[in-house]
Amino acid sequence: GTLAINGRLGRTGGKEMGNRQTEFVMYSGLHTIGGVNMAITYGNDRVIFECGLAYDPATDVFDGTVRPRDKNWVRDKLRLGILPRIEGIYRRQDLGDDPLESAEESQLNTAVFITHLHLDHMAFMGMIAPQVPVYLHHNAQCIERALEATGQGVETLQRTYCDIVPGQPVHVGAIEVLPILCKAKSYYDFAFFIRTPDGTVHWTGDLCLHGTEAEKTLRQMEFLKQQEVDVLLCDCTSFMDSVMKLMYPTMEASAVRPSPEVPQGMLSEREYYDGLFEHIKGRSGLCVFNYYQREMEDAEKFLAWAAATRRACVFEPDAAYIVWKFFQIEPFVYLPDTLPYSGPREQWPAWLKELAAHAKFVQRADIWANPAGYMLQNSYPHILELLSLPSQGAAYLHADGTPIGEFDPAYANLRRIVQRAGFEYVTFFCENYFGHGYPCQVKYFVDEVDPHVLIPCHSYNPERLLPNHGRQLLPELYRTYILKDHTLTEKEAQHA
């Protein structure tokens, strides 16, 4: 059922001791897509939000050619500036001689919270020392375990995770964290409302007002209006140039007027899905789709669309394994030539043997015999498989899989191969659909909540999201800010 989040939260208990104060630090994620990492501390209690990797394939050190060093997995990322330098969360054995304080040496009572299972929010959660609790919804845990089994998960210490329960506050000493449900499908999406004895902070996570569950975000907004929101950290991904130019004649912030409606010429999430299905219905040839494999909501849609058009929905092995573990249904599986599993089954990895016991395998000859009878999932590493598949009347549906857009150097290569293979290319992404809230909707959300301080983030252009009455702050990374009496100020530098 739907959890009510109306009414004010009770103030957290705990004794006011000494000079306890609420401190806020942002480590990354201000001028990047994702990679938001921040900490809120009160006395010895600390909550950290997200452990993500900023999404920028054009500058990724680990470009598919550079190999990470297993024994230096944490140290190398710290040296390269990829991993945030947060004290008290990494193991000493992983830090080596790095002077950063380790989890074993820290006196802080720390917990980490993850909004959802996108890599730009959780890519580094597996590096956190096992004694530091990490909160993640149990659906997300199920998907992550399946990803790890196939070698697609986060680099990890095989740690355990604590469950996030929608609407059920978590107390980390004197700090209270309320998980607010934004999306009740697949791995579940959350926002977090944080209360300390000094005030309140809210982190929206990925913000979307045109989704099929937009009413949850609007309910979140109404809840926040009843609170005194001192600091609002707000996702404003869509304020970047490539999305703004689809809707506005100028890149100026003044062009963005608040409105909950989908901008003219753009699509809602429902219209986006309807558009994809329109390209499947009545098609005489093979349908190939490229989706983000951890999105079980999308997997469920392709399974339903296949059933509605009398096609078999066929997955590559690693995607099929997640479908099997999550839905407990026996999927159809196709083995691309580029996979190293051509040998006898007894040589297959354990996860693939497990899948094989619960799956039906489809051969290339089966697809050639009846192209209109299949919907085939294809990921970019195996894109050359298209050259051996029937292309007459066929479509390649780019459905939020990677590479996702022109800002990724691999995207042009994907388009080129699809064209050479003779498939019709179908996409809405970055043309008239975007997965994050449109600028006018984000501005509407912010104006309605009306926080004292707005920190726009998770965007190349956060400066374009302006508050209505409050103050916009683009915090200096690693600088400490003090929240006291509902006011956020910079901490004065300590002089020797």
Side-chain angles (χ1 to χ4, degrees):
T2 302
L3 284 163
I5 53 173
N6 294 327
R8 289 184 174 269
L9 285 176
R11 298 247 173 221
T12 51
K15 296 177 181 178
E16 301 294 330
M17 296 172 59
N19 61 347
R20 279 187 175 186
Q21 59 187 8
T22 300
E23 299 187 346
F24 168 82
V25 181
M26 191 165 185
Y27 298 99
S28 59
L30 191 64
H31 286 95
T32 57
I33 302 300
V36 174
N37 295 278
M38 58 184 149
I40 297 167
T41 308
Y42 180 80
N44 285 334
D45 303 320
R46 178 176 63 169
V47 291
I48 293 174
F49 294 94
E50 316 279 56
C51 274
L53 169 65
Y55 185 68
D56 190 357
T59 60
D60 190 0
V61 171
F62 297 102
D63 56 3
T65 302
V66 176
R67 295 183 180 179
R69 301 191 298 169
D70 291 344
K71 292 180 181 177
N72 292 272
W73 66 317
V74 169
R75 270 170 287 180
D76 285 351
K77 288 180 179 65
L78 287 169
R79 285 284 302 276
L80 291 166
I82 298 169
L83 195 61
R85 295 189 64 83
I86 304 176
E87 293 190 335
I89 63 170
Y90 309 117
R91 299 187 307 178
R92 173 48 58 197
Q93 68 191 82
D94 296 323
L95 290 170
D97 58 3
D98 190 293
L100 195 66
E101 183 181 64
S102 70
E104 296 93 332
E105 297 154 352
S106 177
Q107 298 299 308
L108 292 174
N109 170 33
T110 299
V112 178
F113 294 81
I114 307 295
T115 55
H116 64 288
L117 206 61
H118 282 181
L119 286 169
D120 61 329
H121 292 256
M122 44 60 77
F124 300 135
M125 68 181 186
M127 298 181 175
I128 297 171
Q131 63 264 43
V132 177
V134 176
Y135 284 83
L136 184 69
H137 190 266
H138 65 83
N139 279 21
Q141 294 178 42
C142 171
I143 296 169
E144 173 58 29
R145 296 289 183 221
L147 287 162
E148 289 173 15
T150 64
Q152 304 297 313
V154 300
E155 296 175 279
T156 184
L157 297 163
Q158 296 294 315
R159 58 161 303 123
T160 57
Y161 297 96
C162 303
D163 286 347
I164 289 176
V165 180
Q168 185 171 308
V170 177
H171 292 92
V172 181
I175 303 174
E176 182 179 80
V177 178
L178 176 70
I180 298 177
L181 184 61
C182 305
K183 204 170 183 180
K185 293 176 181 173
S186 190
Y187 39 69
Y188 279 47
D189 281 55
F190 291 90
F192 294 119
F193 184 73
I194 306 103
R195 191 189 294 282
T196 80
D198 296 309
T200 60
V201 179
H202 185 72
W203 164 224
T204 63
D206 284 356
L207 185 65
C208 180
L209 279 83
H210 61 274
T212 54
E213 297 182 72
E215 78 283 350
K216 291 184 175 63
T217 299
L218 293 171
R219 205 153 57 239
Q220 173 193 160
M221 182 186 78
E222 291 300 325
F223 165 75
L224 294 173
K225 286 166 68 173
Q226 297 173 28
Q227 311 298 316
E228 187 172 17
V229 178
D230 299 317
V231 183
L232 174 67
L233 289 109
C234 188
D235 160 34
C236 58
T237 309
S238 64
F239 282 71
M240 61 185 177
D241 289 355
S242 61
V243 181
M244 287 276 288
K245 71 181 182 183
L246 298 174
M247 290 161 275
Y248 304 106
T250 172
M251 298 292 113
E252 294 297 321
S254 58
V256 181
R257 302 288 185 189
S259 171
E261 304 303 321
V262 174
Q264 189 173 0
M266 305 302 288
L267 301 176
S268 68
E269 186 180 35
R270 189 175 303 282
E271 290 169 331
Y272 158 70
Y273 282 124
D274 289 346
L276 280 177
F277 187 44
E278 282 300 318
H279 281 277
I280 297 167
K281 289 191 298 186
R283 184 165 292 275
S284 61
L286 173 66
C287 284
V288 173
F289 66 98
N290 176 5
Y291 80 120
Y292 198 25
Q293 296 176 21
R294 62 192 64 208
E295 297 285 357
M296 289 299 96
E297 180 184 3
D298 287 354
E300 192 171 32
K301 279 190 166 58
F302 280 105
L303 286 161
W305 292 340
T309 55
R310 299 184 179 180
R311 295 173 181 263
C313 194
V314 188
F315 295 89
E316 292 174 352
D318 50 355
Y321 185 73
I322 305 169
V323 168
W324 146 243
K325 297 300 281 188
F326 191 82
F327 294 116
Q328 293 291 297
I329 60 172
E330 298 194 351
F332 289 100
V333 180
Y334 178 87
L335 293 176
D337 284 349
T338 36
L339 285 173
Y341 311 135
S342 55
R345 286 198 181 190
E346 55 266 23
Q347 295 178 8
W348 286 2
W351 69 267
L352 188 55
K353 290 178 184 174
E354 180 189 349
L355 175 64
H358 302 280
K360 310 176 192 78
F361 285 83
V362 172
Q363 308 301 320
R364 188 182 295 154
D366 300 326
I367 296 174
W368 272 97
N370 181 22
Y374 292 95
M375 179 119 53
L376 177 66
Q377 179 250 334
N378 175 263
S379 61
Y380 181 59
H382 307 302
I383 186 95
L384 293 184
E385 200 65 29
L386 297 183
L387 300 174
S388 296
L389 292 170
S391 62
Q392 186 172 354
Y396 180 94
L397 305 168
H398 190 294
D400 199 15
T402 56
I404 195 171
E406 292 176 1
F407 56 90
D408 188 331
Y411 187 72
N413 196 43
L414 172 111
R415 295 290 302 259
R416 190 162 53 245
I417 294 170
V418 171
Q419 183 181 17
R420 285 292 180 93
F423 283 68
E424 180 189 347
Y425 185 81
V426 176
T427 188
F428 299 103
F429 263 84
C430 303
E431 293 188 8
N432 57 351
Y433 176 73
F434 197 68
H436 293 252
Y438 294 117
C440 62
Q441 297 176 319
V442 176
K443 172 71 171 152
Y444 171 76
F445 181 94
V446 168
D447 285 5
E448 288 293 305
V449 174
D450 203 16
H452 297 167
V453 175
L454 169 67
I455 300 179
C457 56
H458 199 302
S459 178
Y460 294 138
N461 301 96
E463 71 283 351
R464 289 176 180 158
L465 175 58
L466 301 174
N468 196 5
H469 300 113
R471 171 169 64 102
Q472 185 199 68
L473 173 66
L474 302 178
E476 186 179 330
L477 299 181
Y478 287 89
R479 176 178 283 279
T480 300
Y481 294 80
I482 306 298
L483 179 61
K484 186 176 182 181
D485 296 328
H486 304 281
T487 303
L488 190 70
T489 57
E490 287 189 22
K491 184 178 183 180
E492 292 182 11
Q494 300 294 314
H495 299 290

